[in-house]
């Protein structure tokens, strides 16, 4: 029996590629901290007939007819997003994290305005002002960073000095490779001192926030929160913007459409609604707590083995390892060796990295996906031990062969679940 029976008949080449990816996911250990597995219910919504429908505009204010069900699904997704984040307004149309950020910038800024964002090599994101991006060509981005690699905490004093000197219109806080809790309140205070807007891009930690494991920036007064819906939130690939301010909500709606997007992807909005209800279920809280517990268990093993971690460990779902200092291997070499045993993670710059971005010193790994498979601290410790063994003996192909089999066996013991919430309990 094929996974995609009709597709297999009509277009076997595509079906085979999809089947290959399905198997790769099933048999490999996913440690990329921005990846996760969406439920079958989310994927059913993604495959629905809503993909056929144009719905430019917003519920009750569309440019085309036939919007009974698109209005209903978007209203439901908005209600659930608001409940999930404790926000007064939500825009569920952003196609992904980058378009969500672009729209938020458009809502808050005029071209030429100054924005402070975290340096990419210190854990920020490309969309926070990298010179190759469109936002960086429109606005004046300046970056702040961490004070040193030992504590790896944001240098809040330096951020304050920079803000006092540059008088930014917006202070942006949000990270893709930052293993620490963020002091949202501290950033909000700095922004208030200089009259800047505050925006939190919580793409990575959204699920930890909605579960109450990490503090919600909106609760300390942040103006705008942007996020993806496919990382710790475990939904479809997509973006989301929230705010408590009515004036900003109106500006955000205009910026998303017609500012930066055309017709929304209604099938994705339906899938977001499903994922939001899964995240509202009490079981999601234990999931988020287990993500953090698993990352801490890995950090324990690495610390015991003398592996050099940026910040000395982790306070969230991800770890950043100085691979050169720990194993004498570049991040790329480490990534490739682990790929051979079926452990997927990514090379990553570390703060003050002396090496180039395409071949940096670090590797980044995280626990959201393995935790979705039901793995706990015991498995987390075993995986960390495998990583250390593989990277300590790069010449030992036989060892890699053996660990590859153990990884396979572990993955077979923890199949990717189809369903996180009993259907009769959902929504
Ligand atoms: C992943 C991420 C994004 C971008 O999301 P895409 O869906 O890939 O566009 C933006 N900001 C942060 C902090 C991220 O981690």
């Amino acid at each position: 029996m094929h996974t995609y029976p009709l597709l297999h008949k009509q277009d076997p080449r595509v079906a085979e590629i999809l089947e290959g990816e399905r198997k790769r996911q099933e048999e490999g250990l996913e440690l990329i901290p921005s990846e996760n597995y969406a439920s079958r219910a989310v994927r059913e919504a993604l495959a629905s007939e809503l993909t056929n429908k144009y719905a430019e505009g917003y519920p009750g204010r569309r440019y085309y007819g036939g919007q009974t069900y698109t209005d209903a699904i978007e209203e439901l997704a908005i209600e659930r997003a608001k409940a999930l984040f404790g926000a007064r307004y939500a825009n569920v149309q952003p196609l992904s994290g980058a378009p969500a950020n672009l729209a938020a910038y458009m809502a808050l800024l005029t071209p030429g305005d100054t924005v402070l964002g975290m340096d990419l090599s210190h854990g920020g994101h490309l969309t926070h002002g990298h010179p190759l991006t469109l936002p960086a060509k429109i606005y004046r981005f300046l970056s702040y960073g961490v004070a040193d690699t030992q504590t790896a905490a944001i240098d809040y004093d330096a951020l304050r000095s920079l803000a006092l000197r540059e008088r930014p219109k917006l202070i942006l806080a949000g990270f893709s490779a930052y293993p620490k809790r963020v002091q949202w309140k501290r950033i909000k205070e700095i922004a208030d001192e200089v009259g800047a807007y505050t925006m939190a891009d919580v793409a990575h930690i959204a699920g930890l926030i909605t579960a109450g494991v990490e503090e919600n920036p909106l609760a300390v007064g942040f103006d705008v929160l942007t996020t993806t819906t496919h990382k710790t939130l475990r939904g479809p690939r997509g973006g989301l913007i929230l705010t408590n301010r009515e004036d900003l909500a109106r500006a955000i709606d205009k910026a998303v459409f017609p500012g930066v997007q055309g017709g929304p992807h209604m099938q994705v909005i339906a899938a977001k609604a499903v994922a939001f209800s899964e995240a509202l279920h009490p079981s999601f809280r234990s999931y988020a707590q287990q993500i953090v517990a698993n990352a801490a268990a890995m950090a324990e093993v690495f610390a015991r083995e003398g592996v050099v971690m940026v910040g000395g460990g982790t306070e969230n779902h991800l770890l950043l390892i100085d691979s050169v200092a720990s194993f004498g291997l570049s991040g790329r070499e480490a990534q490739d060796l682990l790929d051979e045993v079926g452990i997927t993670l990514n090379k990553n710059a570390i703060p003050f990295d002396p090496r180039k971005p395409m071949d940096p010193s670090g590797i980044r790994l995280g626990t959201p996906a393995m935790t979705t498979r039901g793995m706990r601290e015991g498995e987390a410790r075993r995986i960390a031990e495998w990583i250390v063994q593989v990277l300590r003996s790069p010449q030992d192909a036989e060892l890699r062969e053996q660990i590859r089999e153990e990884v396979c066996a572990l993955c077979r013991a923890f199949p990717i679940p189809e369903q996180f919430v009993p259907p009769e309990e959902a929504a």
Side-chain angles (χ1 to χ4, degrees):
M1 183 61 191
H2 297 292
T3 314
Y4 314 101
L6 187 111
L7 186 62
H8 200 274
K9 259 200 211 126
Q10 177 183 317
D11 195 335
R13 285 181 67 194
V14 170
E16 266 162 41
I17 293 170
L18 299 190
E19 182 58 33
E21 173 62 14
R22 194 193 66 74
K23 258 186 87 171
R24 186 194 70 80
Q25 293 189 12
E26 195 62 54
E27 292 172 3
L29 202 47
E30 188 55 70
L31 295 184
I32 295 175
S34 49
E35 294 193 10
N36 214 329
Y37 309 107
S39 70
R40 176 138 204 129
V42 163
R43 289 185 290 117
E44 280 185 7
L46 279 175
S48 69
E49 288 73 10
L50 281 172
T51 198
N52 302 331
K53 186 68 194 127
Y54 250 111
E56 283 169 326
Y58 290 98
R61 301 176 277 140
R62 307 277 193 195
Y63 287 80
Y64 299 112
Q67 306 292 350
T68 310
Y69 302 104
T70 46
D71 278 6
I73 196 64
E74 186 165 349
E75 276 163 3
L76 186 58
I78 289 170
E79 278 320 303
R80 289 177 179 178
K82 282 158 49 177
L84 195 56
F85 287 87
R88 289 178 59 208
Y89 304 94
N91 187 308
V92 297
Q93 294 193 4
L95 301 176
S96 212
N101 285 348
L102 183 59
Y105 299 149
M106 191 180 175
L108 298 173
L109 305 169
T110 24
D113 278 349
T114 299
V115 185
L116 306 189
M118 181 88 148
D119 189 311
L120 179 64
S121 69
H122 289 215
H125 189 262
L126 277 170
T127 57
H128 300 179
H130 189 282
L132 289 175
T133 61
L134 181 63
K137 297 185 195 303
I138 303 176
Y139 311 107
R140 178 173 170 259
F141 279 88
L142 300 173
S143 48
Y144 58 92
V146 302
D148 56 72
T149 49
Q150 272 79 50
T151 61
I154 294 167
D155 191 339
Y156 295 95
D157 292 332
L159 169 57
R160 178 167 177 269
S161 311
L162 185 64
L164 288 171
R165 193 168 66 240
E166 298 290 345
R167 299 275 151 180
K169 185 85 172 285
L170 167 67
I171 298 183
L172 178 56
F175 318 95
S176 334
Y178 186 65
K180 302 243 139 192
R181 298 282 161 105
V182 183
Q183 296 181 31
W184 303 111
K185 198 156 172 287
R186 186 102 186 256
I187 295 173
K188 168 71 179 150
E189 284 163 5
I190 295 168
D192 284 347
E193 228 181 312
V194 300
Y197 285 123
T198 39
M199 169 175 156
D201 173 0
V202 299
H204 261 257
I205 55 169
L208 304 182
I209 287 171
T210 64
V213 172
E214 286 220 29
E215 192 177 25
N216 187 340
L218 288 176
V220 304
F222 263 62
D223 294 310
V224 175
L225 187 147
T226 63
T227 183
T228 58
T229 50
H230 49 273
K231 297 180 183 175
T232 46
L233 209 48
R234 206 162 60 174
R237 196 155 286 278
L240 171 66
I241 308 177
L242 300 125
T243 181
N244 282 324
R245 290 180 49 168
E246 196 191 347
D247 57 332
L248 295 183
R250 270 201 298 267
I252 288 163
D253 283 353
K254 264 195 235 156
V256 173
F257 174 83
V260 304
Q261 291 185 182
H265 293 188
M266 297 312 299
Q267 79 284 9
V268 183
I269 290 175
K272 285 174 186 172
V274 175
F276 296 156
S277 105
E278 290 172 354
L280 282 162
H281 189 269
S283 62
F284 193 83
R285 194 186 164 92
S286 346
Y287 166 61
Q289 286 166 339
Q290 192 63 48
I291 289 176
V292 174
N294 285 350
M298 281 190 170
E300 235 175 71
V301 172
F302 290 135
R304 190 187 70 213
E305 295 289 338
V307 171
V308 182
M309 290 173 281
V310 172
T314 179
E315 295 174 352
N316 55 25
H317 65 299
L318 69 82
L319 297 102
L320 202 53
I321 289 173
D322 184 337
S323 173
V324 173
S326 306
F327 307 105
L329 298 168
S330 75
R332 196 209 311 227
E333 289 167 333
Q335 174 187 307
D336 290 348
L337 284 165
L338 290 166
D339 247 341
E340 277 186 49
V341 302
I343 294 178
T344 310
L345 45 66
N346 64 280
K347 60 179 186 289
N348 210 99
I350 57 171
F352 313 105
D353 203 325
R355 302 174 61 93
K356 294 207 176 67
M358 277 315 288
D359 191 15
S361 303
I363 49 175
R364 184 186 69 151
L365 59 151
T367 50
M370 63 162 283
T371 306
T372 292
R373 293 182 91 135
M375 295 179 192
R376 303 173 69 88
E377 288 92 329
E379 289 77 31
R381 280 191 284 268
R382 261 165 76 198
I383 295 164
E385 280 157 11
W386 287 334
I387 291 172
V388 174
Q389 284 178 300
V390 168
L391 299 184
R392 283 239 168 100
S393 314
Q395 308 303 335
D396 195 342
E398 210 171 298
L399 174 75
R400 284 200 292 283
E401 193 65 34
Q402 179 199 323
I403 292 181
R404 162 83 248 191
E405 273 168 35
E406 292 183 67
V407 167
C408 252
L410 180 69
C411 289
R412 271 196 300 275
F414 291 89
I416 298 169
E418 296 250 286
Q419 169 181 326
F420 312 134
V421 177
E424 64 277 10
E425 278 183 44

